[in-house]
Amino acid sequence: MNKLILKAGREKSLRRRHPWVFSGAVHRIEGKPVMGDTVEVVSAQGDFLAVAAYSPQSQIVARVWDWKPRAIDAAFFEERIARACALRAALVPATDTLRLVHGESDGLPGIIVDRYGDVVVVQLTSAGADRWRGAIADGLETVAAPRTIHERSDAEAMAYEGLEPRSQHLRGEPLTAVKIIYERGAAYETDIAGGQKTGFYLDQRDNRALVRELAEGREVLDCFAYTGGFSVNALLGGATHATAVESSAPALDRLERNLALNGLNAYARAEGDAFQTLRRLRDEGRQFDLIVMDPPKFAPTAASVPRAARAYKDVNLLAFKLLRPGGLLFTFSCSGAIDRLLFQKIVAGAALDAGVTAHFVRHLSAGADHPVALEFPEGEYLKGLLCRVA
């Protein structure tokens, strides 16, 4: 097998079972591996460390498949997929709309699998995952038995791996343009082929439920609303009114259809840039009892953290100014490069500059179908805070 020999002292993170090997840690390569090949990673002393997928165009030059010598083949992927599905069966309340495989945290780096009823959507964002597309689809057919397997490998991360984006039908019956999915009794029209992520924000399931639980009698502002998951749940929970702020007109159109699917209509549409809209609402003297702040990824890389921190502070400062006394703020960051402690500091600074006294009521995260391996904290990309203004 081809080998990656590390520089002296650079094996420490692998011994702690962190699954990434960065290009700067590699001393030399034995053999001639090509993109996606399985390689052995060994220390400078020649000790075996892991088997991994080789990605020569990425800063993460290898992603670990396993910590012991073994063949990486179709049986490996079926075994790992079965293990991931069994974990969800044990920990996630009965639902047919959930994440089945969460990348490195399930021992399948670069592989995301989301289930929407009888449709399974696959996202393959690493060289190794791309190489084993067929075996991954075979394993999903055997373990999950879906009607359709569709691929949505069109995330920004593809470019870092030197891979071309793909969105294509893989197995089973052709995908219909729109699918109705259900979550805790709520119905949503979902565009699996063209929507954000794999069609829906499955990672916010538990947080949508909490908004529903706390929304009764409150006037709600849903910022970066997309297709209305939070707005739907707020109104189902008894909110008096919801204002949805979103720059995408097609997303707002789908939001309105989702409200109609659930028999809801106490809603106002605020189409446009969220920063500008929040400032306008502030200048108009508007006030709300519950605000959801769920922006897109402001920090796709570590280099963009300073700029992203300013953006997170700006939107949260405006949110604090728009909250009535006793109001609740659900605020989130999905930027993996911004950790939970930094995000909390940003939100605390926003409250201070807004001149309000606020308390952190609860830390928020993705649900149990998005597990985070203890040795891979980067898997916790979604972090949030529930704050209450005094």
Side-chain angles (χ1 to χ4, degrees):
M1 186 181 291
N2 297 305
K3 292 184 179 181
L4 268 60
I5 294 90
L6 302 187
K7 296 175 182 176
R10 300 301 295 271
E11 74 283 357
K12 293 179 182 178
S13 64
L14 281 170
R15 292 198 187 280
R16 293 193 296 268
R17 295 209 165 189
H18 190 282
W20 291 350
V21 178
F22 289 93
S23 57
V26 178
H27 173 57
R28 71 178 191 277
I29 299 171
E30 287 187 0
K32 296 181 179 180
V34 298
M35 183 180 290
D37 275 358
T38 301
V39 296
E40 281 189 5
V41 183
V42 300
S43 71
Q45 293 74 35
D47 298 329
F48 173 87
L49 297 170
V51 287
Y54 181 58
S55 182
Q57 296 190 42
S58 173
Q59 284 189 327
I60 305 171
V61 73
R63 297 173 189 260
V64 171
W65 289 128
D66 210 325
W67 304 100
K68 59 181 180 293
R70 65 167 298 170
I72 303 303
D73 52 19
F76 167 83
F77 290 99
E78 183 176 327
E79 171 195 314
R80 287 287 167 91
I81 291 167
R83 188 175 74 181
C85 290
L87 172 68
R88 274 74 178 171
L91 295 179
V92 180
T95 178
D96 65 354
T97 304
L98 76 164
R99 175 151 295 182
L100 294 181
V101 175
H102 189 48
E104 282 84 347
S105 292
D106 282 307
L108 290 167
I111 302 173
I112 297 296
V113 181
D114 288 340
R115 175 158 217 152
Y116 299 96
D118 56 3
V119 175
V120 162
V121 185
V122 182
Q123 194 171 74
L124 308 175
T125 59
S126 68
D130 184 79
R131 171 71 170 271
W132 289 99
R133 176 178 286 99
I136 293 163
D138 288 343
L140 287 168
E141 282 190 311
T142 300
V143 175
R147 177 178 59 85
T148 299
I149 302 178
H150 189 80
E151 182 178 2
R152 282 289 308 276
S153 301
D154 51 5
E156 293 178 355
M158 305 294 292
Y160 302 124
E161 292 282 304
L163 299 171
E164 292 296 320
R166 297 171 183 250
S167 184
Q168 62 183 353
H169 173 257
L170 282 184
R171 300 285 175 86
E173 298 179 19
L175 183 69
T176 56
V178 172
K179 183 173 180 62
I180 305 299
I181 65 170
Y182 298 90
E183 179 185 278
R184 291 189 168 99
Y188 304 94
E189 178 184 292
T190 305
D191 181 4
I192 290 172
Q196 293 292 323
K197 300 189 82 171
T198 62
F200 195 65
Y201 286 86
L202 297 176
D203 50 4
Q204 290 283 21
R205 177 194 296 104
D206 291 352
N207 301 318
R208 284 188 287 268
L210 185 58
V211 166
R212 190 191 301 195
E213 179 183 330
L214 298 176
E216 185 173 3
R218 296 181 183 272
E219 185 179 0
V220 174
L221 179 65
D222 183 5
C223 303
F224 305 95
Y226 190 45
T227 59
F230 284 111
S231 292
V232 166
N233 279 276
L235 292 169
L236 286 173
T240 58
H241 190 272
T243 299
V245 179
E246 172 58 49
S247 61
S248 166
L252 281 172
D253 291 344
R254 179 154 284 141
L255 182 153
E256 292 177 353
R257 293 195 292 274
N258 284 336
L259 291 173
L261 274 173
N262 293 279
L264 305 168
N265 55 25
Y267 148 81
R269 174 177 179 140
E271 182 179 335
D273 177 79
F275 291 86
Q276 295 177 11
T277 301
L278 289 167
R279 292 188 182 97
R280 174 177 60 78
L281 292 170
R282 177 202 60 191
D283 294 344
E284 292 173 355
R286 294 289 303 278
Q287 293 276 276
F288 300 88
D289 305 299
L290 189 155
I291 296 176
V292 178
M293 190 64 62
D294 187 22
K297 186 188 295 184
F298 286 158
T301 64
S304 57
V305 165
R307 175 177 52 81
R310 290 191 294 272
Y312 283 119
K313 185 173 182 180
D314 285 349
V315 292
N316 283 285
L317 189 155
L318 289 163
F320 280 122
K321 285 182 174 291
L322 289 166
L323 278 170
R324 295 186 177 103
L328 300 175
L329 172 62
F330 286 76
T331 184
F332 298 96
S333 166
C334 62
S335 298
I338 291 183
D339 64 26
R340 188 173 288 279
L341 179 59
L342 175 57
F343 185 59
Q344 181 168 324
K345 289 179 178 178
I346 291 168
V347 176
L352 183 65
D353 288 359
V356 303
T357 299
H359 302 90
F360 298 124
V361 177
R362 185 182 298 189
H363 288 279
L364 307 172
S365 61
D369 56 339
H370 292 65
V372 179
L374 292 175
E375 64 273 10
F376 185 67
E378 295 90 338
E380 190 187 25
Y381 67 93
L382 178 67
K383 70 286 298 180
L385 296 166
L386 171 56
C387 304
R388 183 182 183 275
V389 173

Coordinates of all heavy atoms in Angstrom, one line a residue, residues 275-345:
F275 N -29.5 42.7 7.1 CA -28.9 43.8 7.9 C -29.7 45.1 7.6 O -30.0 45.8 8.6 CB -27.4 44.0 7.4 CG -26.5 42.9 7.8 CD1 -26.4 41.7 7.0 CD2 -25.8 43.0 9.0 CE1 -25.5 40.7 7.4 CE2 -24.9 41.9 9.4 CZ -24.8 40.8 8.6
Q276 N -30.0 45.4 6.4 CA -30.8 46.6 6.1 C -32.2 46.5 6.7 O -32.7 47.5 7.2 CB -30.8 46.8 4.6 CG -29.5 47.1 3.9 CD -29.6 47.2 2.4 OE1 -30.7 47.3 1.8 NE2 -28.5 47.2 1.7
T277 N -32.8 45.4 6.6 CA -34.2 45.2 7.1 C -34.2 45.4 8.6 O -35.1 46.1 9.2 CB -34.7 43.9 6.7 OG1 -34.8 43.7 5.3 CG2 -36.2 43.7 7.3
L278 N -33.2 44.9 9.3 CA -33.2 45.0 10.8 C -33.0 46.5 11.2 O -33.6 47.0 12.1 CB -32.0 44.2 11.4 CG -32.3 42.6 11.3 CD1 -31.0 41.9 11.6 CD2 -33.3 42.3 12.3
R279 N -32.1 47.2 10.4 CA -31.9 48.6 10.7 C -33.2 49.4 10.5 O -33.6 50.3 11.2 CB -30.8 49.2 9.9 CG -29.4 48.6 10.3 CD -28.3 49.3 9.6 NE -27.0 48.7 10.0 CZ -26.4 47.8 9.2 NH1 -26.9 47.3 8.1 NH2 -25.2 47.3 9.7
R280 N -33.9 49.1 9.4 CA -35.2 49.7 9.1 C -36.2 49.5 10.3 O -36.9 50.4 10.7 CB -35.8 49.3 7.8 CG -37.1 49.8 7.5 CD -37.6 49.4 6.1 NE -37.7 48.0 6.0 CZ -38.7 47.2 6.5 NH1 -39.7 47.8 7.2 NH2 -38.8 45.9 6.3
L281 N -36.3 48.2 10.7 CA -37.2 47.9 11.8 C -36.8 48.7 13.1 O -37.7 49.2 13.8 CB -37.2 46.4 12.0 CG -37.9 45.6 10.9 CD1 -37.6 44.1 11.2 CD2 -39.3 45.8 10.8
R282 N -35.5 48.8 13.3 CA -35.1 49.5 14.5 C -35.5 51.0 14.4 O -36.0 51.6 15.3 CB -33.6 49.4 14.6 CG -32.9 50.2 15.7 CD -31.5 50.5 15.5 NE -31.2 51.2 14.2 CZ -30.1 51.4 13.6 NH1 -29.0 50.8 14.2 NH2 -29.9 52.0 12.5
D283 N -35.3 51.6 13.2 CA -35.6 53.0 13.0 C -37.1 53.3 13.1 O -37.5 54.4 13.4 CB -35.0 53.5 11.6 CG -33.5 53.4 11.6 OD1 -32.9 53.4 12.6 OD2 -33.0 53.5 10.5
E284 N -37.9 52.3 12.7 CA -39.3 52.4 12.8 C -39.8 52.2 14.3 O -41.0 52.4 14.5 CB -40.0 51.4 11.9 CG -39.8 51.6 10.4 CD -40.3 50.5 9.5 OE1 -40.8 49.5 10.1 OE2 -40.3 50.6 8.3
G285 N -38.9 51.8 15.2 CA -39.3 51.6 16.5 C -40.1 50.3 16.8 O -40.8 50.1 17.8
R286 N -39.9 49.3 15.9 CA -40.6 48.0 16.0 C -40.0 47.3 17.2 O -38.8 47.4 17.5 CB -40.5 47.2 14.7 CG -41.2 47.8 13.5 CD -42.7 47.7 13.7 NE -43.1 46.3 13.9 CZ -43.3 45.4 12.9 NH1 -43.1 45.8 11.7 NH2 -43.7 44.2 13.2
Q287 N -40.8 46.4 17.8 CA -40.4 45.6 18.9 C -41.0 44.2 18.8 O -42.1 44.1 18.2 CB -40.8 46.2 20.3 CG -40.1 47.5 20.6 CD -38.7 47.3 21.2 OE1 -38.6 47.1 22.4 NE2 -37.7 47.3 20.4
F288 N -40.2 43.2 19.2 CA -40.7 41.8 19.1 C -40.5 41.1 20.5 O -39.6 41.5 21.3 CB -40.0 41.1 18.0 CG -40.2 41.7 16.7 CD1 -39.3 42.7 16.2 CD2 -41.2 41.3 15.8 CE1 -39.6 43.3 15.0 CE2 -41.4 41.9 14.6 CZ -40.6 42.9 14.2
D289 N -41.2 40.0 20.6 CA -41.0 39.2 21.9 C -40.1 38.0 21.7 O -39.6 37.4 22.7 CB -42.4 38.7 22.3 CG -43.4 39.8 22.5 OD1 -43.2 40.7 23.3 OD2 -44.4 39.8 21.7
L290 N -39.9 37.6 20.5 CA -39.0 36.4 20.2 C -38.4 36.6 18.8 O -39.1 36.9 17.9 CB -39.8 35.1 20.2 CG -39.0 33.8 20.2 CD1 -39.9 32.7 20.8 CD2 -38.6 33.4 18.8
I291 N -37.1 36.6 18.8 CA -36.3 36.7 17.5 C -35.5 35.5 17.3 O -34.8 35.0 18.2 CB -35.5 38.0 17.6 CG1 -36.3 39.3 17.7 CG2 -34.6 38.1 16.3 CD1 -35.5 40.5 17.8
V292 N -35.5 35.0 16.1 CA -34.7 33.9 15.6 C -33.6 34.5 14.7 O -34.0 35.1 13.7 CB -35.4 32.8 15.0 CG1 -34.5 31.7 14.5 CG2 -36.5 32.2 15.9
M293 N -32.4 34.3 15.0 CA -31.3 34.8 14.2 C -30.4 33.6 13.7 O -29.6 33.1 14.4 CB -30.4 35.8 15.0 CG -29.4 36.5 14.2 SD -30.1 37.7 13.0 CE -31.0 38.8 14.1
D294 N -30.7 33.2 12.4 CA -30.1 32.0 11.9 C -29.4 32.3 10.6 O -29.9 31.8 9.5 CB -31.1 30.9 11.8 CG -30.5 29.5 11.4 OD1 -29.3 29.3 11.6 OD2 -31.2 28.7 10.8
P295 N -28.3 33.0 10.6 CA -27.7 33.5 9.3 C -26.9 32.3 8.7 O -26.6 31.3 9.2 CB -26.7 34.6 9.8 CG -26.4 34.2 11.2 CD -27.6 33.6 11.8
P296 N -26.5 32.6 7.4 CA -25.7 31.6 6.7 C -24.3 31.6 7.3 O -24.0 32.4 8.2 CB -25.7 32.1 5.3 CG -25.9 33.6 5.4 CD -26.9 33.7 6.6
K297 N -23.4 30.8 6.7 CA -22.1 30.6 7.2 C -21.3 31.9 6.9 O -20.9 32.1 5.8 CB -21.4 29.4 6.6 CG -20.0 29.0 7.2 CD -19.4 27.9 6.4 CE -20.1 26.6 6.5 NZ -19.4 25.5 5.8
F298 N -21.0 32.7 7.9 CA -20.3 33.9 7.7 C -18.8 33.7 7.6 O -18.0 34.5 7.1 CB -20.5 34.9 8.8 CG -21.9 35.6 8.8 CD1 -22.4 36.2 9.9 CD2 -22.6 35.7 7.6 CE1 -23.6 36.8 9.9 CE2 -23.8 36.4 7.5 CZ -24.4 36.9 8.7
A299 N -18.3 32.5 8.2 CA -16.9 32.2 8.2 C -16.6 30.9 7.6 O -16.5 29.9 8.3 CB -16.3 32.3 9.7
P300 N -16.5 30.8 6.3 CA -16.2 29.5 5.7 C -14.8 29.0 6.0 O -14.5 27.8 5.9 CB -16.4 29.8 4.2 CG -16.2 31.2 4.0 CD -16.7 31.9 5.3
T301 N -13.9 29.9 6.3 CA -12.5 29.5 6.6 C -12.0 30.3 7.8 O -12.6 31.3 8.2 CB -11.5 29.8 5.4 OG1 -11.5 31.2 5.2 CG2 -12.0 29.1 4.1
A302 N -10.9 29.8 8.4 CA -10.3 30.5 9.6 C -9.9 31.9 9.2 O -10.0 32.8 10.0 CB -9.1 29.7 10.1
A303 N -9.5 32.2 8.0 CA -9.1 33.5 7.6 C -10.2 34.5 7.6 O -10.0 35.7 7.7 CB -8.4 33.4 6.2
S304 N -11.4 34.0 7.5 CA -12.6 34.9 7.4 C -13.2 35.2 8.8 O -14.2 35.9 8.9 CB -13.6 34.4 6.5 OG -14.0 33.1 6.8
V305 N -12.6 34.7 9.9 CA -13.2 34.8 11.2 C -13.3 36.2 11.7 O -14.4 36.6 12.2 CB -12.4 34.0 12.2 CG1 -12.8 34.3 13.6 CG2 -12.7 32.5 12.0
P306 N -12.3 37.1 11.5 CA -12.5 38.5 12.0 C -13.7 39.2 11.3 O -14.5 39.9 12.0 CB -11.2 39.2 11.6 CG -10.2 38.0 11.6 CD -10.9 36.9 11.1
R307 N -13.8 39.1 10.0 CA -14.9 39.7 9.3 C -16.2 39.1 9.7 O -17.2 39.8 9.9 CB -14.7 39.6 7.8 CG -15.9 40.1 7.0 CD -15.6 40.0 5.5 NE -15.2 38.6 5.1 CZ -16.0 37.6 4.9 NH1 -17.3 37.8 5.1 NH2 -15.6 36.4 4.6
A308 N -16.2 37.8 9.9 CA -17.5 37.1 10.3 C -17.9 37.5 11.7 O -19.1 37.7 12.0 CB -17.3 35.6 10.2
A309 N -16.9 37.7 12.6 CA -17.2 38.1 14.0 C -17.9 39.4 14.0 O -18.9 39.6 14.8 CB -16.0 38.1 14.8
R310 N -17.5 40.3 13.1 CA -18.1 41.6 13.1 C -19.6 41.5 12.6 O -20.5 42.2 13.1 CB -17.4 42.6 12.1 CG -16.0 43.0 12.7 CD -15.4 44.1 12.0 NE -15.0 43.7 10.6 CZ -13.8 43.2 10.3 NH1 -12.9 43.0 11.3 NH2 -13.5 42.8 9.1
A311 N -19.8 40.6 11.6 CA -21.1 40.5 11.0 C -22.1 39.8 12.1 O -23.2 40.3 12.3 CB -21.1 39.6 9.8
Y312 N -21.6 38.8 12.8 CA -22.4 38.2 13.9 C -22.7 39.2 14.9 O -23.8 39.3 15.5 CB -21.7 37.0 14.5 CG -21.7 35.7 13.6 CD1 -20.5 35.2 13.2 CD2 -22.9 35.1 13.3 CE1 -20.5 34.0 12.4 CE2 -22.9 34.0 12.6 CZ -21.7 33.4 12.1 OH -21.8 32.3 11.3
K313 N -21.8 40.1 15.3 CA -22.0 41.1 16.3 C -23.1 42.1 15.8 O -24.0 42.4 16.6 CB -20.7 41.8 16.7 CG -20.9 42.8 17.9 CD -19.6 43.4 18.3 CE -19.9 44.3 19.5 NZ -18.6 44.9 20.0
D314 N -23.0 42.5 14.6 CA -23.9 43.5 14.1 C -25.4 43.0 14.1 O -26.3 43.7 14.6 CB -23.6 43.9 12.6 CG -22.3 44.8 12.5 OD1 -21.9 45.3 13.6 OD2 -21.8 44.9 11.4
V315 N -25.6 41.7 13.6 CA -27.0 41.3 13.6 C -27.5 41.0 15.0 O -28.7 41.2 15.2 CB -27.1 40.0 12.7 CG1 -26.9 40.3 11.2 CG2 -26.2 38.9 13.1
N316 N -26.7 40.6 15.9 CA -27.1 40.3 17.2 C -27.4 41.6 18.0 O -28.3 41.7 18.8 CB -26.2 39.4 18.0 CG -26.3 37.9 17.5 OD1 -27.3 37.3 17.9 ND2 -25.4 37.4 16.7
L317 N -26.5 42.6 17.8 CA -26.8 43.9 18.4 C -28.1 44.5 18.0 O -28.9 45.0 18.8 CB -25.6 44.9 18.0 CG -25.6 46.2 18.7 CD1 -24.1 46.7 18.7 CD2 -26.5 47.3 18.0
L318 N -28.4 44.4 16.7 CA -29.7 44.9 16.2 C -30.9 44.0 16.8 O -31.9 44.6 17.1 CB -29.7 44.8 14.7 CG -28.9 45.8 13.9 CD1 -28.6 45.4 12.5 CD2 -29.5 47.2 14.0
A319 N -30.7 42.7 16.9 CA -31.7 41.9 17.5 C -32.0 42.3 18.9 O -33.2 42.4 19.4 CB -31.3 40.4 17.4
F320 N -30.9 42.5 19.7 CA -31.1 43.0 21.1 C -31.9 44.3 21.2 O -32.8 44.5 22.1 CB -29.8 43.1 21.8 CG -29.2 41.8 22.3 CD1 -28.0 41.3 21.9 CD2 -30.0 41.0 23.2 CE1 -27.5 40.1 22.4 CE2 -29.4 39.7 23.6 CZ -28.2 39.3 23.2
K321 N -31.7 45.2 20.3 CA -32.4 46.5 20.3 C -33.8 46.3 19.9 O -34.7 47.2 20.2 CB -31.7 47.4 19.3 CG -30.3 48.0 19.8 CD -29.8 49.0 18.8 CE -28.5 49.7 19.4 NZ -28.9 50.6 20.5
L322 N -34.2 45.2 19.2 CA -35.5 45.0 18.7 C -36.4 44.2 19.7 O -37.6 44.0 19.5 CB -35.5 44.3 17.4 CG -35.1 45.2 16.2 CD1 -34.8 44.3 15.0 CD2 -36.1 46.2 15.8
L323 N -35.8 43.7 20.8 CA -36.5 42.9 21.7 C -37.2 43.7 22.8 O -36.5 44.6 23.4 CB -35.6 41.8 22.4 CG -35.3 40.6 21.5 CD1 -34.1 39.8 22.2 CD2 -36.5 39.7 21.4
R324 N -38.4 43.3 23.1 CA -39.1 43.9 24.3 C -38.5 43.3 25.6 O -37.9 42.2 25.5 CB -40.6 43.6 24.2 CG -41.3 44.2 23.1 CD -42.8 44.0 23.2 NE -43.5 44.7 22.1 CZ -44.0 44.1 21.0 NH1 -43.9 42.8 20.9 NH2 -44.6 44.8 20.0
P325 N -38.6 44.0 26.7 CA -38.2 43.4 28.0 C -38.9 42.0 28.2 O -40.1 41.8 27.9 CB -38.8 44.4 29.0 CG -38.8 45.7 28.3 CD -39.2 45.4 26.9
G326 N -38.1 41.1 28.6 CA -38.5 39.7 28.7 C -38.5 38.9 27.4 O -38.9 37.7 27.4
G327 N -38.0 39.6 26.3 CA -38.0 38.9 25.0 C -36.9 37.9 24.9 O -35.9 37.9 25.7
L328 N -37.1 36.9 24.0 CA -36.2 35.8 23.8 C -35.4 35.9 22.5 O -36.0 36.3 21.5 CB -36.9 34.5 23.8 CG -37.7 34.1 25.1 CD1 -38.5 32.9 24.9 CD2 -36.7 34.0 26.3
L329 N -34.1 35.7 22.5 CA -33.3 35.6 21.3 C -32.8 34.2 21.1 O -32.0 33.7 21.9 CB -32.2 36.6 21.3 CG -31.2 36.6 20.2 CD1 -31.8 36.8 18.8 CD2 -30.0 37.5 20.5
F330 N -33.1 33.6 20.0 CA -32.5 32.3 19.5 C -31.5 32.8 18.5 O -31.8 33.2 17.4 CB -33.5 31.4 18.9 CG -34.4 30.7 19.8 CD1 -35.5 31.4 20.4 CD2 -34.3 29.4 20.1 CE1 -36.4 30.8 21.2 CE2 -35.2 28.7 21.0 CZ -36.2 29.4 21.5
T331 N -30.2 32.6 18.8 CA -29.2 33.1 17.9 C -28.2 31.9 17.6 O -27.8 31.2 18.5 CB -28.4 34.3 18.4 OG1 -27.5 34.8 17.4 CG2 -27.7 34.1 19.7
F332 N -27.8 31.8 16.3 CA -27.0 30.7 15.9 C -25.8 31.1 15.0 O -25.8 32.2 14.4 CB -27.9 29.7 15.0 CG -29.0 29.2 15.7 CD1 -30.3 29.8 15.6 CD2 -28.9 28.0 16.5 CE1 -31.4 29.2 16.3 CE2 -30.0 27.5 17.2 CZ -31.2 28.1 17.1
S333 N -24.8 30.3 15.0 CA -23.7 30.3 14.0 C -23.5 28.9 13.5 O -23.4 27.9 14.3 CB -22.4 30.8 14.7 OG -21.3 30.5 13.8
C334 N -23.4 28.8 12.2 CA -23.1 27.5 11.6 C -21.7 27.5 11.0 O -21.3 26.6 10.2 CB -24.1 27.1 10.5 SG -24.2 28.3 9.1
S335 N -20.9 28.5 11.4 CA -19.5 28.6 10.9 C -18.6 27.7 11.8 O -18.4 28.0 13.0 CB -19.0 30.0 11.0 OG -19.8 30.9 10.2
G336 N -18.1 26.6 11.2 CA -17.2 25.7 12.0 C -16.0 26.4 12.5 O -15.4 26.0 13.5
A337 N -15.5 27.5 11.8 CA -14.3 28.2 12.2 C -14.5 29.1 13.5 O -13.5 29.6 14.0 CB -13.8 29.0 11.1
I338 N -15.8 29.3 13.9 CA -16.1 30.1 15.1 C -16.6 29.1 16.1 O -17.6 28.5 16.0 CB -17.1 31.1 14.8 CG1 -16.5 32.2 13.9 CG2 -17.7 31.8 16.0 CD1 -17.4 33.4 13.6
D339 N -15.8 28.9 17.2 CA -16.2 27.9 18.2 C -17.2 28.5 19.2 O -17.5 29.7 19.1 CB -14.9 27.4 18.9 CG -14.2 28.5 19.8 OD1 -14.8 29.5 20.2 OD2 -13.0 28.3 20.0
R340 N -17.7 27.7 20.0 CA -18.8 28.0 20.9 C -18.4 29.2 21.8 O -19.2 30.1 22.1 CB -19.3 26.8 21.7 CG -20.5 27.1 22.5 CD -21.0 25.8 23.2 NE -21.6 24.9 22.2 CZ -22.8 25.0 21.7 NH1 -23.6 26.0 22.1 NH2 -23.3 24.1 20.9
L341 N -17.2 29.1 22.4 CA -16.8 30.2 23.3 C -16.7 31.5 22.6 O -17.1 32.6 23.2 CB -15.4 29.8 23.9 CG -14.8 30.8 24.9 CD1 -15.8 31.1 26.1 CD2 -13.5 30.4 25.4
L342 N -16.1 31.6 21.4 CA -16.0 32.8 20.7 C -17.4 33.4 20.3 O -17.6 34.6 20.5 CB -15.2 32.6 19.4 CG -15.1 33.8 18.5 CD1 -14.5 35.1 19.2 CD2 -14.2 33.5 17.2
F343 N -18.3 32.5 19.9 CA -19.6 32.9 19.6 C -20.3 33.6 20.8 O -20.9 34.6 20.7 CB -20.4 31.8 19.1 CG -21.8 32.2 18.6 CD1 -21.9 33.1 17.6 CD2 -22.9 31.6 19.1 CE1 -23.2 33.5 17.1 CE2 -24.2 32.0 18.7 CZ -24.3 32.9 17.7
Q344 N -20.1 32.9 22.0 CA -20.7 33.5 23.2 C -20.2 34.9 23.5 O -20.9 35.8 23.9 CB -20.5 32.5 24.4 CG -21.2 33.0 25.7 CD -21.2 31.9 26.7 OE1 -21.4 30.8 26.4 NE2 -21.0 32.3 28.0
K345 N -18.9 35.0 23.3 CA -18.2 36.3 23.5 C -18.8 37.4 22.6 O -19.0 38.5 22.9 CB -16.7 36.2 23.4 CG -16.0 35.5 24.5 CD -14.5 35.4 24.3 CE -13.8 34.7 25.4 NZ -12.4 34.5 25.1

